[in-house]
Amino acid sequence: MMNKLLLIFCILAIFGQSMYIILLLHLRRIWMKAPKYNRVQFDTLSDIKVSVLIALRNEEANIISCLTALKNQDIATNKFEIICVDDHSTDKSVELINNFLNENPGFPLQLLQIKEETKNGSPKKQALKAAVTKSSGKLLLFTDADCVVHQSWISTMAEFYTKHNAKMLCGPVVLQNSTASTLLSSYEELDFISLQLCSAASLLDKKPLMSNGANLGIDKNAYLNVIDKTLGKNLASGDDMFLMLALDKDFPGSIHYVNSEKAIVKTGFQKSFLQLLMQRKRWASKGFKYANSSIFAVSQLVLFIHSALLVSAVISFIIPSLFPLFLGLFLSKTIVDYAFLLKAKLWLRKRLKLHQFVLFEFLNTLFVLLIIVVSLRKGFIWKGRKL
């Protein structure tokens, strides 16, 4: 009986690994074929107005850098507006924004403050919805208060939107000051790049698997058309993903990836392992709520691959003859993952060293499974608030 179970496990592990390799090679091929988007000149192409929407809570350390980058955009200020929505900050965020307004008279910035605590468990979604209500732009651009946008971000996203008649735009997000020196920051960087690259390739393939709310553009009419019927209204995160899935359903083929360095948005590293774990838990917490078979299948495949790696490693200590199975699974995954990330030149700012990547693969298996375990318990602390 035990031999049969081991045989079944080996067959499933090899089959799952094969499916994983095929998926990554497919995404790698899509990304390699993707042309870069070269911006022309926004002022001569469109008269649309853009609304930049930012929901924030306790961002006194970041908000001025965010607003300064928006102030320095290469587009006339009469063509965009910025709406910051404060979600009950307990620090100096509001004071700093008001000071910025006083120091920059005439700058198209509005500050909204949420007065009542939301009752549906999703404060960020409600804050963004309030911002949309106040917005006057045809194109809505979303970013976060801890982000710094490229000086051509608004013009690049707006021009792409106009030329492609898009309903949703997803742009690249990179980690700021990408000189990762600690083990934690090095791991976070590679993990973040792999997620970004998978997201970009799937969007280019018109089969979106992921998006990132730090760099989104949405047609306002399309937003209003789907917002009241999107799933996950009571979940604390997932505003970007649920909107993406709703728009893909109602406007198939209208979601685009803006493959341009001028559309980059930079965000920061997490300050501790616990913060990184809580962030990933928050991202994973809504996984089973996505009404999308492709996302579900891919997420289950990734979970199975990491579980099979760990199980095969444990079994190898008991039954040494199965060590080649573990070694084969680990090496094949490492090789295909490494080949995949070598093409992430938009995000990689330094040489990807193979020996560091082998360590990353080992840590990633443990970390993915740890996220699954902690996700079994509902709720998490985010921005000083339990959700």
Side-chain angles (χ1 to χ4, degrees):
M1 182 64 178
M2 181 60 68
N3 289 337
K4 288 184 178 180
L5 290 176
L6 288 174
L7 178 61
I8 292 173
F9 170 75
C10 292
I11 293 173
L12 289 176
I14 294 171
F15 176 77
Q17 186 81 322
S18 300
M19 293 298 99
Y20 178 83
I21 291 172
I22 290 171
L23 172 64
L24 249 64
L25 291 178
H26 172 70
L27 292 176
R28 183 178 185 271
R29 180 179 62 84
I30 294 297
W31 177 248
M32 289 177 64
K33 291 169 54 180
K36 285 192 174 182
Y37 179 70
N38 295 313
R39 186 175 66 96
V40 186
Q41 180 58 50
F42 176 75
D43 288 341
T44 63
L45 288 177
S46 176
D47 292 324
I48 68 166
K49 187 172 183 179
V50 179
S51 295
V52 179
L53 311 180
I54 304 170
L56 66 126
R57 175 179 168 85
N58 295 342
E59 290 289 355
E60 65 179 11
N62 303 302
I63 188 60
I64 296 303
S65 295
C66 176
L67 293 177
T68 300
L70 290 168
K71 177 188 173 185
N72 294 330
Q73 291 293 290
D74 62 357
I75 181 175
T77 54
N78 65 341
K79 291 196 172 182
F80 71 94
E81 64 178 355
I82 302 166
I83 302 177
C84 290
V85 188
D86 178 65
D87 178 20
H88 303 91
S89 290
T90 57
D91 63 2
K92 295 182 179 179
S93 294
V94 171
E95 179 183 340
L96 290 172
I97 294 172
N98 283 324
N99 289 342
F100 187 90
L101 278 166
N102 292 332
E103 294 168 2
N104 297 277
F107 186 65
L109 169 64
Q110 300 179 53
L111 172 62
L112 304 179
Q113 289 183 266
I114 303 296
K115 299 299 183 183
E116 298 179 1
E117 285 283 356
T118 181
K119 297 179 180 179
N120 72 348
S122 182
K124 184 178 180 181
K125 293 187 180 74
Q126 291 305 304
L128 291 175
K129 193 173 181 180
V132 172
T133 301
K134 292 288 185 180
S135 67
S136 59
K138 182 180 179 182
L139 171 63
L140 308 174
L141 291 183
F142 298 85
T143 191
D144 294 330
D146 60 351
C147 294
V148 173
V149 303
H150 190 280
Q151 65 177 5
S152 298
W153 179 60
I154 295 178
S155 55
T156 301
M157 297 288 276
E159 184 188 81
F160 191 103
Y161 163 79
T162 303
K163 291 177 68 174
H164 292 83
N165 192 29
K167 299 304 180 185
M168 182 175 185
L169 304 175
C170 300
V173 182
V174 305
L175 291 172
Q176 294 190 65
N177 303 320
S178 188
T179 56
S181 56
T182 67
L183 179 61
L184 177 64
S185 58
S186 296
Y187 170 78
E188 182 183 355
E189 181 182 32
L190 288 177
D191 182 57
F192 189 83
I193 290 171
S194 67
L195 294 174
Q196 279 287 299
L197 191 52
C198 286
S199 173
S202 67
L203 287 160
L204 290 164
D205 198 29
K206 297 302 179 185
K207 297 174 183 177
L209 295 174
M210 287 178 279
S211 60
N212 191 312
N215 193 355
L216 286 182
I218 302 178
D219 175 85
K220 184 176 181 179
N221 289 332
Y223 176 96
L224 295 174
N225 185 72
V226 304
I227 189 59
D228 289 330
K229 53 186 178 181
T230 57
L231 300 175
K233 292 186 180 66
N234 297 321
L235 298 176
S237 65
D239 46 290
D240 48 354
M241 289 289 293
F242 289 113
L243 269 172
M244 179 190 76
L245 294 175
L247 289 165
D248 188 49
K249 181 179 179 181
D250 281 20
F251 306 97
S254 66
I255 300 177
H256 297 264
Y257 185 78
V258 185
N259 184 18
S260 171
E261 291 195 3
K262 292 182 178 180
I264 281 178
V265 169
K266 294 182 180 180
T267 190
F269 286 88
Q270 297 302 305
K271 294 181 176 61
S272 67
F273 175 76
L274 182 59
Q275 283 192 7
L276 180 62
L277 183 62
M278 288 299 102
Q279 182 193 59
R280 296 303 196 263
K281 178 183 177 180
R282 181 169 58 92
W283 291 356
S285 63
K286 68 274 185 180
F288 288 101
K289 302 294 184 179
Y290 298 141
N292 182 285
S293 57
S294 295
I295 293 177
F296 180 79
V298 170
S299 64
Q300 296 307 299
L301 176 62
V302 171
L303 174 59
F304 175 76
I305 290 302
H306 287 92
S307 300
L309 272 173
L310 186 60
V311 171
S312 62
V314 173
I315 293 177
S316 295
F317 282 101
I318 303 171
I319 307 175
S321 60
L322 288 181
F323 180 74
L325 172 66
F326 162 72
L327 188 62
L329 293 176
F330 183 78
L331 289 179
S332 60
K333 182 178 183 299
T334 299
I335 291 170
V336 74
D337 286 348
Y338 184 73
F340 186 51
L341 285 186
L342 279 177
K343 298 302 176 181
K345 293 180 180 179
L346 188 63
W347 298 276
L348 280 173
R349 303 301 176 186
K350 59 183 182 298
R351 184 181 177 186
L352 186 60
K353 298 179 181 179
L354 182 58
H355 70 277
Q356 291 178 334
F357 193 78
V358 171
L359 178 60
F360 161 77
E361 285 287 300
F362 175 74
L363 294 176
N364 194 49
T365 297
L366 299 177
F367 190 62
V368 168
L369 296 176
L370 179 59
I371 293 171
I372 300 302
V373 172
V374 299
S375 295
L376 296 176
R377 183 176 180 180
K378 294 182 178 180
F380 48 84
I381 304 296
W382 193 252
K383 301 290 185 181
R385 178 166 51 189
K386 187 174 183 178
L387 298 170

